[in-house]
Amino acid sequence: MSISARARPDACPGVFATHDAADGALARVRLPGGRVTAAQLDVLAGCAEELGDGSAHLTSRGNVQLRGLSRDTGELVGRLSDAGLLPAPAHERVRNFLASPLSGLVGGVVDVRPLVAELDAAVCAAPELAGLPGRFLFALDDGRGDVAAEDADLCWQALDDRTGVLLRAGAPGSRVPIADAVEALVREASRFLEVRGTAWRMRELSGFSEVTRPRRPVSVGPFARDDGGRGICVAPLFGQLSAEQLRSFRGDVVVTPWRSVVVPEYRPELAALSSDTGVGACIGRPGCAKSRADVRADARGVTARAHFSGCERRCGKPRDALDVVAADGGYLVEGAWVPVEALVDVLGQKGNR
């Protein structure tokens, strides 16, 4: 088996091992299945407000990042540990679990929420799995095909209320009963460790290639729950929420891999948290030393489905967004240079095609 060679080790940040950004330390807090309680939201809000830049930054894996932190993260570790957000320090960076955000609320073939807790416990109980790369991603799809389309290394997707299919790098494999789903995922992750060499992702191994599926994000706005109640999904601009906004949820929520938040209990005032644009952006200047521009300032006013990147790394870019990369006093839009002052018009035209 030919293994993809990596020139450097995986440096995906966590809480114990943060990333040294231009605006301070960056900590990524894993939220298995995106689920976070009201009490944990309050702790995250306090950490953002008192230890960081005042905001929580949602990620494309349904996690939360805190920025502008001190390099000494002892107090942060203590607060998050007390809140139950760091239950297994050795496995902290590998608790990357997507799950269908609306599962158990509306639609889906099965409720995968119990499987998330079971998978988290099983991974953390396997000492060898602490050696997984921080970019390795698990997913549990309740049959609607939402997180199965999000580039997971290993995904169990429900086919009916008893059986699902195991996806490896998006490619369908054997059928696996729901009762055996977690065991199958853990077994496949262990096999990856045995053969990975320096590879970070399954698609880097010989015999695998990325399988692209249509993205199916949760629609922003109110939704009807199966039990007759109502919920709402909100999508803040650039996936950024202030400490005050975090506290405004006043209940348990689900962070989605589309930088939105599913709130099971509808409250009309929460709609104001959503941006009416389709634009996204990396943190840009001044937060990132590699960025060539303040991309978020330049992205404001754009309504097209586009992602602004400060450099060629394209951090956080969804594959279905227009590619906008800072370059030479302007931006490369799908490879063609455009001055900053023309971005709104050019992207508006491209977005309407």
Side-chain angles (χ1 to χ4, degrees):
M1 178 175 287
S2 173
I3 305 296
S4 172
R6 288 279 189 175
R8 60 183 177 85
D10 168 43
C12 199
V15 175
F16 295 99
T18 58
H19 170 66
D20 192 14
D23 57 351
L26 178 156
R28 184 171 299 156
V29 185
R30 267 69 176 184
L31 305 174
R35 300 186 183 279
V36 57
T37 67
Q40 290 170 335
L41 280 175
D42 189 56
V43 170
L44 287 169
C47 290
E49 196 170 50
E50 298 163 23
L51 306 177
D53 68 357
S55 294
H57 304 261
L58 310 182
T59 79
S60 60
R61 292 186 165 197
N63 296 319
V64 166
Q65 290 185 164
L66 299 174
R67 303 188 64 99
L69 299 163
S70 165
R71 269 66 178 182
D72 180 359
T73 57
E75 184 173 354
L76 176 70
V77 168
R79 292 191 188 193
L80 297 180
S81 296
D82 289 345
L85 289 165
L86 298 173
H91 292 74
E92 180 230 349
R93 294 193 318 126
V94 305
R95 298 172 67 232
N96 299 307
F97 310 122
L98 296 184
S100 299
L102 292 176
S103 197
L105 297 174
V106 56
V109 176
V110 295
D111 184 352
V112 296
R113 291 178 297 182
L115 291 179
V116 175
E118 186 182 342
L119 179 60
D120 189 16
V123 168
C124 293
E128 72 278 9
L129 294 187
L132 283 170
R135 287 172 172 77
F136 195 88
L137 181 63
F138 296 89
L140 292 161
D141 191 298
D142 67 3
R144 73 186 78 216
D146 51 3
V147 295
E150 292 303 314
D151 191 29
D153 294 279
L154 291 171
C155 174
W156 181 85
Q157 182 178 6
L159 297 174
D160 54 41
D161 60 359
R162 291 179 294 179
T163 307
V165 61
L166 186 65
L167 309 178
R168 301 175 182 87
S174 57
R175 294 196 172 201
V176 178
I178 188 171
D180 300 329
V182 168
E183 181 182 352
L185 290 168
V186 169
R187 182 175 62 249
E188 290 295 324
S190 296
R191 288 177 179 170
F192 170 77
L193 275 178
E194 293 172 0
V195 301
R196 81 177 186 96
T198 58
W200 294 345
R201 308 295 307 276
M202 286 197 73
R203 65 171 181 261
E204 297 170 16
L205 301 182
S206 176
F208 287 93
S209 60
E210 185 175 3
V211 176
T212 301
R213 298 165 180 264
R215 299 188 83 222
R216 296 177 178 175
V218 176
S219 297
V220 176
F223 61 86
R225 301 197 312 259
D226 287 342
D227 64 4
R230 297 181 76 203
I232 187 171
C233 178
V234 299
L237 183 62
F238 306 133
Q240 185 171 342
L241 289 163
S242 69
E244 180 182 359
Q245 289 171 331
L246 280 180
R247 294 189 179 101
S248 72
F249 291 125
R250 301 206 310 260
D252 300 355
V253 302
V254 183
V255 178
T256 83
W258 308 289
R259 294 185 175 86
S260 59
V261 181
V262 169
V263 186
E265 297 296 334
Y266 176 76
R267 297 206 324 278
E269 65 270 21
L270 293 178
L273 297 180
S274 287
S275 164
D276 59 0
T277 75
V279 70
C282 69
I283 197 66
R285 287 183 181 173
C288 178
K290 291 183 171 64
S291 181
R292 302 187 187 98
D294 184 348
V295 293
R296 294 193 170 186
D298 292 337
R300 292 182 184 275
V302 172
T303 58
R305 173 71 174 158
H307 184 83
F308 280 61
S309 303
C311 71
E312 287 76 13
R313 293 187 304 167
R314 296 173 171 83
C315 292
K317 180 189 177 298
R319 66 172 181 268
D320 60 347
L322 290 170
D323 186 34
V324 185
V325 182
D328 299 327
Y331 286 83
L332 294 176
V333 178
E334 298 290 298
W337 187 83
V338 175
V340 173
E341 58 271 18
L343 282 171
V344 172
D345 289 339
V346 170
L347 288 170
Q349 293 169 9
K350 287 183 175 291
N352 290 328
R353 289 178 184 173

